[in-house]
């Protein structure tokens, strides 16, 4: 029989991501970490050929417990690493940096399977490895990325992308769109929706009873009283004021000058910054936390975290990829699951 501590390990459905990228390598490296052995029970959902190739590359021999169907998943911690691999790919299918149609098809199935497992309580959270968006799109994947695919799979009404590191959390008001489309996408209503999802998650998933959220401005110096742009006066400040009035439990402020708000958050003044577009938020985040940050989808009925990096085709197969982001993504998922469980018990 398993000890109580083992029984309470959080079950993570970890997708490999693109087998032609760094996903398999970072998984093999992360699985060796002592924290993984004690705090969680990962099931790797991916391709066993790619996993074995990564182990050979790194000179790391992990005992594998390979299953092909969900009903074969062990109900207790198995000896070795549990891998769910439905259709093994050939080495030709997964040449580094050259994802085939078969690999792209499987990559999407990994995500679908992990979400299904979590929705059906066979896992407590999904942790995703990196996918190559352009490769998947070329093979018919209709979503911009995981975030929108997971929203569709779970029927969530509103989701927000947040990247979280040890000292800085950055949520995004817009995600994958051209810079020229950003201003028109930042509306009073969209900001209120994003703040609602962000603040609710900081409270529920991260245990912050009164989260401090800073909203960034869009223009230099947050518009300098309208001289460098009017979005702050016309849209952002009214939304922040409205949210503050209706959510006394959230300490929301802004719009702040974008050039200093991330530094202030890094110094501990805020729990999260709401950035208005992808690179406004992710450049500072990755500058300070690239090897130790997770991407988190807020607003889903399930917990989902991810690595913060992409497929790294330029280094795939060289053994250079750092596994810190995957480890942090797994740790963040465990933290979120524990907070959600505690809330359920208290409710
Ligand atoms: N979580 C996900 O699924 C993500 C997927 N992507 C996708 O990945 C693809 C490639 O995107 P890029 O912009 O080139 O970003 P990338 O993160 O793959 O690579 C950027 C740079 O970081 C390095 N790098 C990446 N992962 C690393 C690791 N674990 N350790 C050390 N260095 C690492 C690469 O060698 C490269 O120099 C794109 O299709 C993009 O959409 C990008 C970010 C996240
Ligand atoms: N820049 C973050 C990113 O591209 C990850 O997107 P997603 O696949 O998690 O939606």
């Amino acid at each position: 029989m398993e000890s109580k501590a083992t029984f309470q390990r959080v079950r993570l459905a970890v997708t490999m991501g693109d087998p032609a990228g760094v996903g398999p390598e970072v998984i093999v490296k992360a699985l060796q970490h002592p924290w993984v052995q004690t705090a969680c029970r990962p099931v790797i959902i991916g391709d066993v050929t790619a996993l074995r190739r990564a182990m050979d590359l790194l000179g790391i021999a992990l005992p594998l417990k390979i299953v092909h169907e969900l009903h074969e998943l062990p109900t207790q911690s198995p000896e070795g690493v549990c891998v769910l691999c439905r259709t093994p790919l050939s080495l030709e299918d997964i040449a580094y940096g050259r994802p085939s149609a078969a690999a792209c098809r499987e990559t999407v199935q990994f995500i679908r399977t992990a979400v299904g497992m979590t929705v059906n309580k066979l896992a407590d959270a999904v942790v995703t490895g990196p996918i190559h968006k352009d490769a998947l799109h070329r093979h018919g994947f209709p979503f911009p990325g995981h975030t929108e695919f997971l929203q569709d799979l779970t029927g969530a009404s509103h989701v927000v992308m947040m990247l979280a590191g040890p000292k800085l959390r950055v949520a995004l008001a817009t995600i994958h769109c051209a810079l020229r489309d950003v201003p028109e996408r930042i509306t009073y209503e969209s900001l209120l929706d994003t703040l609602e999802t962000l603040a609710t998650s900081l409270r529920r998933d991260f245990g912050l009873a009164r989260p401090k959220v800073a909203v960034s401005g869009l223009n230099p110096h947050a518009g300098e009283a309208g001289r460098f742009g009017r979005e702050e006066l016309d849209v952002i400040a009214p939304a922040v004021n409205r949210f503050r009035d209706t959510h006394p439990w959230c300490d929301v402020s802004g719009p702040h000058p974008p050039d200093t708000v991330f530094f202030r958050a890094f110094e501990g003044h805020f729990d999260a910054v709401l950035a208005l577009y992808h690179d406004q938020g992710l450049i500072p985040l990755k500058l300070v936390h690239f090897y130790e940050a997770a991407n988190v989808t807020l607003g889903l009925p399930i917990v989902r975290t991810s690595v913060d990096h992409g497929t790294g085709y330029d280094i795939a197969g060289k053994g250079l990829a750092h596994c810190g982001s995957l480890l942090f993504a797994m740790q963040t998922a465990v933290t979120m699951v524990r907070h959600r469980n505690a809330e359920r018990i208290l409710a």
Side-chain angles (χ1 to χ4, degrees):
M1 215 171 103
E2 291 193 322
S3 71
K4 198 169 174 211
T6 309
F7 182 70
Q8 288 172 341
R9 282 197 219 165
V10 173
R11 300 163 305 164
L12 300 179
V14 181
T15 64
M16 172 175 283
D18 178 354
V22 295
E25 293 170 48
V26 296
I27 287 176
V28 170
K29 285 187 181 177
L31 286 176
Q32 288 194 299
H33 197 280
W35 174 86
V36 174
Q37 330 274 336
T38 53
C40 66
R41 262 175 60 190
V43 175
I44 310 306
I45 299 146
D47 177 59
V48 75
T49 313
L51 208 58
R52 288 202 171 109
R53 181 178 62 176
M55 289 195 293
D56 288 347
L57 171 76
L58 299 168
I60 297 171
L62 298 171
L64 302 182
K65 159 85 181 152
I66 300 163
V67 300
H68 302 285
E69 297 300 333
L70 288 177
H71 67 81
E72 297 173 89
L73 285 172
T75 50
Q76 299 185 342
S77 291
E79 291 296 318
V81 176
C82 186
V83 184
L84 174 60
C85 175
R86 287 216 159 108
T87 321
L89 295 163
S90 68
L91 280 171
E92 206 181 8
D93 289 330
I94 57 169
Y96 287 120
R98 284 191 284 118
S100 61
C104 287
R105 195 173 53 241
E106 285 306 303
T107 302
V108 175
Q109 286 309 324
F110 302 156
I111 304 166
R112 202 184 283 282
T113 301
V115 171
M117 281 173 62
T118 311
V119 167
N120 292 312
K121 313 275 184 234
L122 294 172
D124 301 307
V126 176
V127 179
T128 55
I131 56 173
H132 197 281
K133 295 178 171 60
D134 178 49
L136 292 190
H137 295 164
R138 277 187 279 117
H139 289 98
F141 183 63
F143 300 96
H146 286 98
T147 305
E148 299 79 2
F149 186 32
L150 267 66
Q151 177 175 19
D152 187 73
L153 288 175
T154 60
S157 58
H158 189 259
V159 294
V160 170
M161 182 184 289
M162 181 172 84
L163 274 85
K167 292 181 72 174
L168 181 62
R169 295 190 191 97
V170 176
L172 304 179
T174 59
I175 311 179
H176 292 128
C177 67
L179 198 49
R180 69 161 65 164
D181 297 334
V182 166
E184 71 189 28
R185 291 193 186 202
I186 296 169
T187 64
Y188 178 80
E189 291 76 20
S190 74
L191 283 176
L192 286 178
D193 286 346
T194 302
L195 283 169
E196 182 77 47
T197 303
L198 170 59
T200 302
S201 174
L202 289 173
R203 197 156 70 154
R204 176 170 73 150
D205 298 327
F206 294 88
L208 299 164
R210 191 162 196 273
K212 290 177 89 168
V213 175
V215 180
S216 174
L218 179 67
N219 298 296
H221 309 180
E224 193 81 39
R227 283 177 185 80
F228 306 152
R230 289 202 55 86
E231 285 83 357
E232 287 79 4
L233 292 175
D234 295 344
V235 180
I236 305 167
V240 170
N241 293 338
R242 171 74 184 160
F243 195 78
R244 186 187 302 114
D245 290 346
T246 52
H247 296 71
W249 54 267
C250 179
D251 182 356
V252 64
S253 59
H256 293 273
D259 60 348
T260 44
V261 69
F262 300 96
F263 175 69
R264 293 182 63 208
F266 185 74
E267 293 276 286
H269 293 282
F270 308 112
D271 296 310
V273 180
L274 177 59
L276 299 189
Y277 57 93
H278 186 276
D279 288 353
Q280 183 186 59
L282 299 201
I283 290 172
L285 187 288
K286 291 192 177 184
L287 191 62
V288 296
H289 284 323
F290 187 53
Y291 289 152
E292 51 180 1
N295 174 352
V296 186
T297 311
L298 313 180
L300 294 173
I302 59 172
V303 169
R304 179 263 174 159
T305 67
S306 180
V307 290
D308 66 352
H309 56 80
T311 47
Y313 281 166
D314 55 330
I315 56 168
K318 298 183 178 163
L320 300 175
H322 200 288
C323 69
S325 173
L326 177 59
L327 204 51
F328 195 77
M330 294 168 81
Q331 289 167 338
T332 304
V334 168
T335 300
M336 292 173 71
V337 168
R338 293 209 194 288
H339 278 297
R340 283 196 187 187
N341 287 347
E343 193 186 58
R344 240 174 255 131
I345 290 164
L346 290 174

